[in-house]
Amino acid sequence: MNGGDEVVAASADPPLPLEWRFSQVFGERSAGEEVQEVDIISAIEFDNSGNHLATGDRGGRVVLFERTDTNNSSGTRRELEEDDYPLRHPEFRYKTEFQSHDPEFDYLKSLEIEEKINKIRWCQTANGALFLLSTNDKTIKFWKVQDKKIKKICDMNSDPSRTIGNGTVASSSNSNITSSCLVNGGVSEVNNSSCTDFSLPPGGISSLRLPVVVTSHESSPMARCRRVYAHAHDYHINSISNNSDGETFISADDLRINLWNLEISNQSFNIVDVKPAKMEDLSEVITSAEFHPTHCNMLAYSSSKGSIRLIDLRQSALCDSHSKLFEEPEQAGPKSFFTEIIASVSDIKFAKEGRYLLSRDYMTLKLWDINMDAGPVATFQVHEYLKPKLCDLYENDSIFDKFECCISGNGLRAATGSYSNLFRVFGVAPGSTETATLEASRNPMRRHVPIPSRPSRTLSSITRVVSRGSESPGVDGNTNALDYTTKLLHLAWHPNENSIACAAANSLYMYYA
């Protein structure tokens, strides 16, 4: 339950700040180009190896990218440095895409179910095939993506170049002409027109030869839906998470968390239910849920009141009680109308070894140690300068935006998004003062303003509380310069390298350090 001793806790000296550079962009908009609603990216996820990246959009499509730079450079790192060969950064290319979800209509509830992809999670690979889960508001699907050999049809009995009359194909009885191969059974336009008015040549055809299907050396990725997990949620699904056992996963909506077996699509087990007997007594909802990365019996879920609960599946079939509760100590002084709204946790992520947990609420990013439930280990201010504008943010519904967060594979840094297509990177190692503000563009540092960080405040010898990232006046601190319509909600950190993929509307930007 303690998790591994990650670099966060073990590092003696804080690492040096990283210098971020632009790597790639997919789907970049030209100046003045209007973005279609269905093309806006709504989910991003790296697989465990980091060699594949998946994105989902509001049109229900899933797009896969694969890494291409793994075998491009030969020799050891030292040899490459001696040859003054620049070390390559991660490079990806488009692999395939498929329509995961379509719009549906629930006739019993008179409810339209949109096709938007809410979450994507990679599963374990097998036999060279990729497996992943994708979900919209109501339905989860299990997909298999595998390279298939392309089949072509060759050795036809007709010659498209020889026609008679009104375009019908002419062929002698002893014709032995091989037409060009047609991919996947396709027929040329000439044959399409002739098939509607086909006449036999004089004397007929003495022998009938069927087309020969030939498997070429080329391959193409094909996606196939293996299972559909439906009709288990009354409310919108906000999270799915794979278990480390490779056999089960969870799905969470506002009031319930269900446990599924990947092989069984018609049955799930309800393991968390926060729905009260009377709906008027409802005080909080589930906002995110995540399995522990190494302990298959543990998971965490967050709530709209800013708390995070850690539960152990070994305690009971229905986990009404939690093993640990993580929440910010209640602040003294008056509370405003917006206090509970901005406290709602929009996303949680476990660090790779499972000891630390990252959470994002509207204003801050918090790091928690699952061994200490007195309070967060560190708190990072994402956009403190928005506090005077909370009323305006409430009027335009921006205060309800759900920003995601991610943590690096070595546990030294965390990242989250903001407005004006900005995202922020914080050093979370003890003693680190690293804070970077970057823009999702080809020049990520153009909006960067050096931001002094507050000194850490030690509450005790056990708990280390840090508050960093509070903005000083500048480009980012000028709320008039912020564009609330361009928000960077979704981003993912490469599991093994300092590389970040983030979504700005319909564009996928990638950066490395």
Side-chain angles (χ1 to χ4, degrees):
M1 183 171 178
N2 293 338
D5 293 330
E6 294 173 75
V7 183
V8 173
S11 178
D13 299 319
L16 295 175
L18 297 177
E19 182 180 350
W20 292 94
R21 300 179 179 89
F22 169 78
S23 174
Q24 288 177 278
V25 59
F26 295 94
E28 186 177 25
R29 284 181 293 163
S30 57
E33 181 183 355
E34 185 177 351
V35 179
Q36 300 296 321
E37 180 78 12
V38 294
D39 295 330
I40 296 177
I41 297 174
S42 57
I44 302 178
E45 187 78 5
F46 280 103
D47 71 346
N48 290 332
S49 68
N51 293 330
H52 295 90
L53 174 67
T55 66
D57 61 27
R58 295 188 181 181
R61 292 164 298 195
V62 173
V63 183
L64 304 186
F65 301 88
E66 63 180 356
R67 189 166 178 175
T68 61
D69 65 303
T70 50
N71 298 320
N72 287 350
S73 55
S74 59
T76 63
R77 179 177 180 135
R78 181 181 296 274
E79 291 172 348
L80 296 176
E81 289 175 346
E82 290 175 353
D83 295 338
D84 199 24
Y85 186 95
L87 291 175
R88 299 189 65 86
H89 57 82
E91 291 182 1
F92 287 79
R93 69 181 177 191
Y94 169 87
K95 181 178 177 68
T96 188
E97 68 179 87
F98 55 90
Q99 188 70 31
S100 174
H101 289 74
D102 294 303
E104 301 175 27
F105 190 82
D106 188 336
Y107 292 96
L108 292 177
K109 298 180 179 180
S110 297
L111 180 68
E112 186 177 352
I113 304 171
E114 61 179 355
E115 64 271 32
K116 172 192 167 189
I117 304 297
N118 291 342
K119 294 290 180 181
I120 296 174
R121 289 292 181 266
W122 290 91
C123 302
Q124 294 179 354
T125 59
N127 300 324
L130 303 173
F131 296 90
L132 52 88
L133 291 165
S134 62
T135 184
N136 64 354
D137 287 338
K138 296 291 184 180
T139 306
I140 308 164
K141 294 186 179 182
F142 183 49
W143 291 91
K144 176 183 180 180
V145 182
Q146 190 171 28
D147 289 338
K148 295 288 187 180
K149 294 291 185 180
I150 296 177
K151 294 183 178 180
K152 299 182 178 181
I153 297 178
C154 298
D155 209 15
M156 300 294 290
N157 221 20
S158 61
D159 182 5
S161 65
R162 299 175 60 189
T163 61
I164 60 172
N166 59 357
T168 56
V169 178
S171 175
S172 62
S173 59
N174 58 355
S175 173
N176 191 22
I177 299 172
T178 302
S179 68
S180 59
C181 297
L182 304 176
V183 178
N184 291 336
V187 187
S188 65
E189 291 184 3
V190 176
N191 283 343
N192 281 336
S193 62
S194 62
C195 287
T196 60
D197 189 18
F198 184 79
S199 60
L200 293 175
I205 299 177
S206 59
S207 62
L208 178 64
R209 284 191 293 113
L210 295 176
V212 178
V213 179
V214 178
T215 302
S216 69
H217 296 290
E218 302 174 13
S219 61
S220 176
M222 302 289 290
R224 185 165 64 92
C225 184
R226 295 288 303 273
R227 287 176 189 86
V228 177
Y229 312 90
H231 312 301
H233 288 277
D234 292 329
Y235 304 92
H236 290 177
I237 298 173
N238 56 50
S239 304
I240 53 175
S241 179
N242 303 87
N243 198 345
S244 58
D245 62 9
E247 298 178 357
T248 56
F249 71 94
I250 56 171
S251 59
D253 62 23
D254 293 341
L255 298 180
R256 293 184 177 93
I257 299 178
N258 293 333
L259 177 67
W260 301 82
N261 189 298
L262 283 169
E263 301 296 325
I264 303 172
S265 60
N266 60 356
Q267 184 181 23
S268 65
F269 297 95
N270 178 228
I271 56 176
V272 175
D273 190 345
V274 299
K275 185 178 181 180
K278 297 180 179 180
M279 285 300 288
E280 53 265 29
D281 296 332
L282 182 66
S283 60
E284 64 180 333
V285 296
I286 298 170
T287 56
S288 182
E290 186 89 359
F291 256 122
H292 191 280
T294 57
H295 298 308
C296 62
N297 57 287
M298 289 174 55
L299 64 94
Y301 69 91
S302 59
S303 80
S304 57
K305 280 193 171 181
S307 61
I308 302 172
R309 291 172 173 83
L310 193 68
I311 62 175
D312 192 336
L313 298 178
R314 297 172 298 184
Q315 289 183 343
S316 63
L318 183 62
C319 301
D320 292 324
S321 60
H322 50 265
S323 301
K324 285 191 175 182
L325 175 65
F326 305 96
E327 57 185 357
E328 187 92 51
E330 191 167 344
Q331 300 291 330
K335 294 183 179 181
S336 71
F337 171 76
F338 306 108
T339 301
E340 189 170 316
I341 298 177
I342 63 175
S344 177
V345 177
S346 57
D347 191 29
I348 58 173
K349 291 287 193 311
F350 274 103
K352 194 171 185 178
E353 299 300 327
R355 177 175 174 181
Y356 291 90
L357 184 65
L358 191 69
S359 69
R360 170 69 202 265
D361 56 46
Y362 187 71
M363 301 296 293
T364 65
L365 188 70
K366 293 183 176 72
L367 184 71
W368 307 80
D369 186 338
I370 65 172
N371 294 335
M372 298 185 295
D373 52 7
V377 172
T379 300
F380 309 95
Q381 302 294 337
V382 180
H383 35 221
E384 183 77 4
Y385 49 84
L386 292 181
K387 273 194 173 179
K389 294 285 185 179
L390 290 180
C391 188
D392 296 336
L393 294 166
Y394 179 78
E395 290 294 330
N396 61 25
D397 286 340
S398 294
I399 200 170
F400 301 106
D401 288 333
K402 306 299 182 185
F403 291 96
E404 294 181 1
C405 60
C406 58
I407 190 166
S408 62
N410 56 16
L412 294 176
R413 297 172 181 87
T416 190
S418 184
Y419 293 102
S420 297
N421 282 340
L422 300 177
F423 66 99
R424 310 203 61 193
V425 180
F426 300 95
V428 299
S432 175
T433 59
E434 180 178 357
T435 302
T437 303
L438 303 100
E439 182 184 25
S441 66
R442 288 182 175 269
N443 183 12
M445 304 301 292
R446 70 177 181 177
R447 295 284 295 273
H448 174 66
V449 177
I451 299 170
S453 58
R454 299 176 183 174
S456 60
R457 298 181 290 109
T458 304
L459 298 183
S460 66
S461 58
I462 300 177
T463 307
R464 177 181 64 90
V465 177
V466 182
S467 179
R468 286 197 279 111
S470 180
E471 277 73 0
S472 59
V475 176
D476 297 341
N478 183 6
T479 54
N480 295 325
L482 284 176
D483 183 1
Y484 299 124
T485 62
T486 57
K487 57 195 79 172
L488 201 151
L489 301 176
H490 312 287
L491 74 173
W493 201 302
H494 191 283
N496 306 316
E497 301 175 12
N498 287 320
S499 176
I500 294 177
C502 56
N506 66 324
S507 303
L508 176 67
Y509 287 90
M510 304 188 72
Y511 303 93
Y512 73 101

